Amino acid sequence: MKNNVTIKDVAKLAGVSISTVSRVINDSKPVTDEVKQRVLDVIKETGYVPNPLARSLVTKKSKLIGVIVPEVSDSFVNEILNGIEAVAKMYDYDILLVNTYSDKEQELESIRILKNKQVEGILMVSWILDEEHVNFMKQNQIPAVYISKTARDYDIYTVSTSNEKATYDMTKYLIENNHKEIALIMTSKEETVLEAERRAGYERALRDNNIEVRDELIKYGNTDYEGGYSSMKELIKDKIIPSAVFVTGDEAAVGAINAIFDEGYNVPGDISVVGFNDTKLAKIYRPKLTTVFQPLFDMGAVSIRVLIKIINGDPVEDKKIELPYQIMERESVAKRK
């Protein structure tokens, strides 16, 4: 019977109406403790599992949250997803995950698909958030929270770290290790709020320590390995050999390290390299990468908790939440004499 039991069977065995069983399951209207316990006992004995579609029609809640990511295999995304999943389970939500491969049209289509699936809200992770994404969500009144390099450009709910201060502190850390010629490889060519904050932090740290800001030491690439590799190769090709390189992404930092080795230099003996995010890659690559720790698991966990609050109409104090960061010292930085 466990495989075929229906709500009608539960009602008959408990000696109540179908609507009473529905009230107990959905906690929609009060019933007496005695009746509630009788229904729950029958549900336990029979192994009855409520039909999620039927339940959503009663409660007006699908208990589904859509999650859009640019690349599900990316280590940055992986750790955020772990946080999202953990909190979703705590609040009895299921996740509908969509992988867009960073394609704008696919991202927009994913929002439409998730809306048609009747998700209660959408958590969007995107490298470059577009105004169309934001406007579509608002026009369709879809509760949404974003994790994106460009999310701070818009009046939306977002979770991040203090990029300007984190970049300042990491640049200062290199200076304290007697590095004066410090290159910056930014992992986006877009002039976003995030990239502006990171460049500002880098430049402020240099000026505060009476070091000249040199434009030729600043390169723009992509977030991936190839972006870091090609940017570092460009510096060396231009005969610019800095004592340290700050790459604003761990995967790109690993690319920069390999470019340095391929050009006959050593890390950290000749050139020190630091990254940003502290993904798993930073801990397993050799030399182990000194990097800015972003609490990626917490970013995912906090983002979905904020989204659930919005869905339930609970107050959210801040639209733009910044989580703490930490400099993780490992093997890729050498102190200059």
Side-chain angles (χ1 to χ4, degrees), residues 48-336:
Y48 170 67
V49 178
N51 182 305
L53 179 58
R55 186 173 183 177
S56 69
L57 292 173
V58 174
T59 62
K60 308 300 182 185
K61 287 181 175 289
S62 66
K63 299 299 284 185
L64 294 174
I65 286 178
V67 177
I68 299 172
V69 299
E71 180 54 67
V72 74
S73 64
D74 184 90
S75 55
F76 176 91
V77 173
N78 287 166
E79 295 184 44
I80 288 174
L81 282 174
N82 288 336
I84 291 170
E85 184 180 26
V87 173
K89 286 180 179 178
M90 286 172 55
Y91 288 90
D92 197 29
Y93 275 88
D94 289 323
I95 297 298
L96 288 182
L97 179 64
V98 182
N99 189 21
T100 65
Y101 302 98
S102 300
D103 182 82
K104 177 185 169 182
E105 290 306 315
Q106 185 60 49
E107 287 174 334
L108 289 168
E109 182 60 24
S110 296
I111 297 171
R112 295 186 187 98
I113 290 170
L114 291 172
K115 179 178 180 292
N116 290 335
K117 295 286 185 182
Q118 297 183 322
V119 297
E120 294 184 40
I122 292 177
L123 200 162
M124 185 169 186
V125 183
S126 175
W127 303 139
I128 306 295
L129 190 63
D130 193 274
E131 192 172 2
E132 281 188 66
H133 301 132
V134 176
N135 289 340
F136 187 86
M137 298 274 206
K138 287 181 177 178
Q139 288 164 7
N140 287 274
Q141 298 181 315
I142 303 171
V145 176
Y146 304 83
I147 297 174
S148 173
K149 293 180 177 183
T150 58
R152 290 168 64 83
D153 295 359
Y154 305 97
D155 181 28
I156 53 179
Y157 290 94
T158 181
V159 178
S160 63
T161 55
S162 177
N163 286 283
E164 196 271 349
K165 194 169 188 310
T167 310
Y168 177 94
D169 286 349
M170 181 57 94
T171 306
K172 184 181 175 185
Y173 166 81
L174 291 171
I175 293 169
E176 288 171 347
N177 278 276
N178 297 330
H179 294 279
K180 291 183 170 50
E181 193 171 45
I182 302 169
L184 178 69
I185 296 179
M186 308 276 276
T187 54
S188 175
K189 295 179 181 178
E190 300 290 330
E191 192 58 37
T192 65
V193 169
L194 179 142
E195 297 299 344
E197 287 176 344
R198 288 182 174 176
R199 179 162 179 162
Y202 162 80
E203 292 183 352
R204 184 165 66 86
L206 294 180
R207 292 193 180 103
D208 284 354
N209 289 275
N210 299 312
I211 298 173
E212 180 188 1
V213 176
R214 295 165 51 192
D215 287 341
E216 67 268 22
L217 286 174
I218 301 174
K219 292 287 183 182
Y220 289 89
N222 290 314
T223 59
D224 57 11
Y225 172 93
E226 288 77 13
Y229 187 93
S230 60
S231 293
M232 191 68 234
K233 288 272 277 192
E234 281 180 29
L235 281 170
I236 295 172
K237 183 180 177 182
D238 293 340
K239 302 192 183 306
I240 299 171
I241 315 299
S243 67
V245 182
F246 185 177
V247 188
T248 59
D250 289 343
E251 190 174 337
V254 168
I257 289 173
N258 281 356
I260 291 168
F261 279 116
D262 287 351
E263 291 298 314
Y265 296 93
N266 179 265
V267 177
D270 298 316
I271 304 172
S272 292
V273 178
V274 298
F276 206 110
N277 288 327
D278 196 29
T279 58
K280 290 179 181 177
L281 183 63
K283 305 174 189 70
I284 63 175
Y285 192 75
R286 293 293 185 273
K288 291 181 181 178
L289 185 66
T290 294
T291 187
V292 176
F293 166 76
Q294 280 200 101
L296 300 179
F297 181 96
D298 292 348
M299 285 172 69
V302 170
S303 296
I304 194 165
R305 182 67 188 102
V306 169
L307 182 55
I308 292 170
K309 281 187 174 183
I310 297 168
I311 289 168
N312 293 332
D314 297 332
V316 178
E317 291 182 9
D318 299 309
K319 268 194 166 182
K320 299 187 186 301
I321 298 172
E322 288 189 346
L323 300 181
Y325 62 87
Q326 183 180 349
I327 292 176
M328 307 301 293
E329 296 184 64
R330 296 196 179 97
E331 302 168 351
S332 63
V333 174
K335 192 179 183 74
R336 281 291 173 103

